[in-house]
Each structure stands twice: as C-alpha cells, then as structure tokens.
Amino acid sequence: MDPAEFREWGKKMVDFVADMWEGIPDRTPLPDVKPGYIQALVPPQAPNYPEKWQAVFDDLEKVVLSGVTWWHHPNFYAYFPTALSHHAIVADILSGGISAIGFTWKSCPSMTELELAVLDWLVSALGLPDHFRNSHPGPGCGIIQSTASDATLIAFFAARAKAVEEIKNSPTMLQSIQTEVGQKFKDLLGKSPFSGKKGAEQEGQHSSEIYLHPFHDPAVFDRLVAYCSDQAHSSVEKAAMLAGVRLRKLRSERDERYGNFSVTAATLEAAIKEDRAHGLHPFIFLLTMGTTNTCAIDPIRELATICNREKIWAHVDAAYAGGFLLCPEFRGMGDGLELVDSFNYNAHKTMMVNFDCSPLWLKDGKSAVKYFNVDPVYLKHEHQANTADYRHLQVALGRRFRSLKIWFVMRTFGIEKIQQYLRDGCAHAEVFSRLIAASLTFDLVVPRNLGLVCFRIKNASNEVNEELCNAINEDRRIHIVPSKVGEVYFLRLALCSQLTTEKHVRFAFDVISEVAQRTLDKMSLIGS
Ligand SMILES: *Cc1c(COP(=O)(O)O)cnc(C)c1O
C-alpha cells in the first residue's frame, strides 16, 4: 500500500465506521449467527497474491458486521459498558501510525511523558490522593495497564514479593510466624535457597546456572493468603491462581450505606485472626468499588485501616465504578482511598476511552519496581536513573501509546461533558429502577447503584427467572445478562450505550414485562 492508497482507503474506513455508527439503531443488539458461521465465508488459506481493497470492503458486512454483538446499541444492557468515542478512535489511528513500543523512556520519550502527565490529570479529575501523582515528590506513581485483570495481577505480584521480602528480612516477623505455626514454616524457610545457606549445596541449587529470585520464592509464598469479598470479580480468583497463593473469599453482608453486599471490618478481622492462628500470612486484600454482580462498594476506610495496621496490601478494583469519581457527588464511595496501596479503574468502561485503557496507581511505585526489574544490556539507557521506565510495572515488555486516547478525550470533551454522560446514565437507570419498584411483577434485588439495576420476578423461583432471562435474549429486542448472589438468581440491566435515552429504558421495561407475562403463563401451564 503506498501513501496515496492509504489516504484513499484509510478515509474510506473512517466513512465506513461513521456510517456503521449511524446504522447501529437499525440492527439488533445480538447478531443472528451460529458458532462456526465464518467457516463458510472465509477460505481456509490466505491468498498468495494481493487482492483489491474493494474486495476486502465488500466482505465486511457479510463476514464481520453480521457477527458483531453491538455493545453500543441503545438496547444493549449486558455486562458493564465498554467505552467509545470518535475522539479515542482518532487517537488510536495516531497510536497505530506512530507504532513505537514505549517500554523505556528512551524507546519513545513522548509515550512515557504524556502518560505521566495525563495520569496526573486523572488524579485531579477523579479527586484521588495527591501522593498518586507522578509529579509528587514521594514514591507514588500511575501507569496505564491493559485491563483491570492485569492491574489485579500486578498488585498480587507486587504484594506477594513485598510480603516475602518482609518475612525474609524481619527476624521478628519470622519469629512470630514461627511461634504461631510451630516448626512447619521454619522447615519451609529452611528449604529456601535464599534463607542462609549459599552456593551449590542448597536444594535445587546444584548449578550456578539455576536462579531463583529471593522475593519470588515459592517456599515462602506457600504460606500466603489473599482476601477478597465473595462478590469480587473472577479476575481476582484468576490472579490468586496464577500467583500460586491461597485465596479466602470473605462473606459479604447487606450494608446500611448502600443496602448492598460488602465485607465488614469484623469479618476481615476475624479472618486475619483465624488464619494467623493456623500459620497463614495474609498479604493482600482485594477491595471492590462497584462489584460486577450488584455494584456493591466495600467500605474502603474501615477495611484499609485494618490492612494498614496488619501490613496487608490494600488494592481497590474500581473497574466500573471508578470513572464515576469524576463527579463530586459520587466521591463518597472512594472515602479512604488515601489509605490504599493501589487503585485501578477502567477508563475503557465509563470514560469514553476505547478499550484498552486501565489506569493503575501505586502508593509506593518505587519499591514495587524492584520486584519486576530485569535489566539486560539492550534495555539500558543513559537516562534510566532519572526517568520512568514503565516496563517495570507490567507483565509485557512492549506497550502502546494509550495515553493519547485519554489526552484526546479529556481535551476535546472537557471534564464537564464526561460528567454529564455519567449523570445521564445514572438518571436513565433510575427511571428503570422506579418502573421496577412500582411494578406488581418485579422486585429490586438491591437498590440501584450508579448505572446498574438488579431485579427479578417477585415471589418466583430461580428457574422462572432464568426462563425469563433466556426468553428476553431469544426475543432479541434487548440484551441483558443474569447474575447470582448466594442462591438468588436475578437479572441485571446495566446502562451501556451513549445512544440509550429514557425512551429506550421505558421500552426495555415494556419488553421485559411482556416477556415476563408470557413466561409466567407458560410456566403456569407447565405447572398445572
Ligand atoms: C469489568 C471488571 C473487571 C474486568 O475488567 P478487564 O479490564 O476486562 O480485566 C474486573 N473487576 C470488575 C469489578 C469489573 O467490573
């Protein structure tokens, strides 16, 4: 492709995307395809010789668009939103055009420095603690991760290494753990290649070619236990699994503040006490601000205070709800954030920034860096002592120019416009929530929080509600997904699309009511 062709077909693609957007309301949120549909449309081998661009464009509707689930359809209410704006798409064109890999400052200075700058913008805009600022003289920092799952994994790895370091370096901690566990923990440490003995006589250390990092020593993290609420996202379970540590899911209870399912201080204290008595070392608590099931908020101040006292890393997963901190009226849910070790949210969920863009802030990024640092000669550069090298705080080496999306979106919308979008979503969710609360057929499962409404058919079994959910999605006029808390199955309506208006949520309620009536009639026929 020469520059002239790129100009022509690149512009055609922009037109194609703009047309596609205008046509979204004429589609249905769920596509009408069956698994494997593409086999009939795409040949098994790539072509040997170039095809015309026109031929590729001609295939787009048939092959690609016909199998898209339209997350931005006004009647799409499933999962949580994924953000989108023309502004962010334009930024992604530039990122793709520059196509540099900014793992170190030297490998692309503007990529590193713009990221440092816009994450500081976000600290102010979201009202986060000042010590998270990259420009703050302290050790705090912010970095854009790909996803909330990545951020959780980074928090797990950093907290795990910190715990191992503390245990190995602290005779008193070693002692206290040893007295509580008796010999077991001491034996484990005795086996660790870094616990005293040197050289080839250690177990697993018969060759100098074998290396184990002292702070990622499995002999120690065998005794570690992580905590989260039983409402935490599945990515927490995945992080614990991949980090090779135990996970204890703490029982959530209805709280007074939101009438939703969060973990209490008493539950956390009891778990710590019990686990310590059994020789385990609690090292991280994954708090959730805005759970996926019901948008519950763990009480950050109470829980993080305990974590600080007990030297447990407090990480807040605010993937969905975090963006709402942009509006001062929602900041109450972030009360206590100055106490946490790390905080993450998905700008790609609620802040008009296309996937992927998940800012993570660390209270002490400087220390965390050493747990991820590997330093081959080819990555060294003359400024590394005085600049940020983001490769030290992520799993991958390479990274994209994601800060462009935040920069474009915040500049060309302004904070006010994004606040308005968030408030509108909540207002529409409130309309739907009131319709549910006033209906004779349905009940709210928890009070609406932000843009999420959880509901079910009153006095009906899980089976009936499951039947309703399936029937709604088979009907295909709207799309929602179910969830479960404890033994209670329910339906979730999440405000997702920027195209959704009050008219659409009223339509959703009418569709749900109509399908519910049909479902109830059918079930009573089956029952009789
Ligand atoms: C969406 C979500 C996640 C997962 O987000 P990814 O960025 O896709 O990893 C994690 N936690 C919560 C609370 C979420 O809502």
Side-chain angles (χ1 to χ4, degrees), residues 85-88 91 114-127 144 323 325-327 331 345 347 350-354 357 359 361 402-419 422:
S85 62
H86 293 130
H87 318 53
L114 190 63
E115 186 162 333
L116 293 170
V118 295
L119 285 187
D120 281 7
W121 278 14
L122 285 174
V123 169
S124 308
L126 300 170
I144 304 175
L325 294 177
L326 211 55
C327 306
R331 297 229 172 117
Y345 87 104
T350 45
M351 262 190 65
M352 325 281 263
V353 177
N354 287 53
C357 188
W361 283 275
R402 296 194 193 93
S403 58
L404 284 173
K405 293 188 275 198
I406 298 176
W407 197 48
F408 280 26
V409 164
M410 291 191 83
R411 286 182 68 181
T412 51
F413 276 114
I415 292 171
E416 237 181 23
K417 240 335 199 321
I418 310 172
Q419 287 172 329
L422 294 169

Side-chain angles (χ1 to χ4, degrees), residues 80-81 146-152 231-236 288-292 317-321 344 346 348-349 355 358 492:
F80 270 144
S146 170
T147 62
S149 307
D150 288 41
T152 296
Q231 298 302 303
H233 190 262
S234 58
S235 53
V236 180
T288 311
M289 178 197 286
T291 60
T292 312
D317 170 4
Y320 166 69
N344 161 252
N346 283 346
H348 66 241
K349 268 188 174 147
F355 189 85
S358 188
R492 291 164 82 261

Side-chain angles (χ1 to χ4, degrees), residues 69-343:
T69 297
W70 295 100
W71 283 62
H72 303 281
H73 192 287
N75 298 332
F76 179 97
Y77 300 104
Y79 318 107
F80 270 144
T82 190
L84 172 136
S85 62
H86 293 130
H87 318 53
I89 296 173
V90 173
D92 265 342
I93 293 178
L94 180 58
S95 172
I98 294 171
S99 197
I101 304 285
F103 40 74
T104 55
W105 181 88
K106 181 94 185 234
S107 71
C108 190
S110 61
M111 199 186 291
T112 297
E113 297 211 6
L114 190 63
E115 186 162 333
L116 293 170
V118 295
L119 285 187
D120 281 7
W121 278 14
L122 285 174
V123 169
S124 308
L126 300 170
L128 298 177
D130 227 36
H131 57 237
F132 278 151
R133 246 176 240 285
N134 290 307
S135 57
H136 190 275
C141 74
I143 172 174
I144 304 175
Q145 301 285 337
S146 170
T147 62
S149 307
D150 288 41
T152 296
L153 193 62
I154 291 297
F156 259 78
F157 285 155
R160 192 188 67 183
K162 185 166 183 249
V164 172
E165 182 182 17
E166 274 170 7
I167 290 169
K168 287 195 170 189
N169 287 342
S170 157
T172 49
M173 201 180 285
L174 254 180
Q175 195 58 42
S176 77
I177 290 168
Q178 281 168 11
T179 43
E180 279 170 19
V181 196
Q183 199 55 34
K184 204 169 172 192
F185 197 80
K186 204 170 171 184
D187 289 350
L188 277 168
L189 282 177
K191 280 190 202 145
S192 154
F194 289 87
S195 60
K197 288 187 276 174
K198 283 221 168 64
E201 81 251 36
Q202 294 165 28
E203 196 177 317
Q205 210 54 30
H206 51 275
S207 160
S208 61
E209 292 163 3
I210 296 174
Y211 174 72
L212 175 67
H213 192 286
F215 305 145
H216 296 283
D217 183 347
V220 182
F221 60 69
D222 178 59
R223 305 309 298 168
L224 302 180
V225 60
Y227 295 144
C228 67
S229 158
D230 57 14
Q231 298 302 303
H233 190 262
S234 58
S235 53
V236 180
E237 195 171 321
K238 194 190 241 181
M241 186 170 88
L242 296 180
V245 293
R246 286 159 223 275
L247 175 67
R248 180 168 183 169
K249 293 187 186 176
L250 305 179
R251 190 175 29 83
S252 61
E253 291 168 48
R254 290 261 187 187
D255 54 48
E256 273 178 27
R257 197 159 158 207
Y258 296 96
N260 212 323
F261 298 93
S262 62
V263 173
T264 66
T267 300
L268 174 62
E269 298 264 27
I272 295 171
K273 204 163 158 217
E274 186 184 35
D275 290 342
R276 289 237 158 97
H278 286 85
L280 293 178
H281 185 80
F283 76 106
I284 189 171
F285 183 15
L286 242 292
L287 293 87
T288 311
M289 178 197 286
T291 60
T292 312
N293 286 332
T294 59
C295 203
I297 313 284
D298 284 329
I300 296 170
R301 181 170 299 286
E302 284 97 317
L303 297 172
T305 300
I306 298 169
C307 291
N308 287 179
R309 190 190 71 212
E310 301 289 332
K311 286 202 153 94
I312 296 171
W313 184 295
H315 174 82
V316 174
D317 170 4
Y320 166 69
F324 288 86
L325 294 177
L326 211 55
C327 306
E329 68 268 31
F330 298 128
R331 297 229 172 117
M333 65 186 174
D335 177 48
L337 276 179
E338 74 278 9
L339 303 173
V340 308
D341 296 282
S342 47
F343 172 82

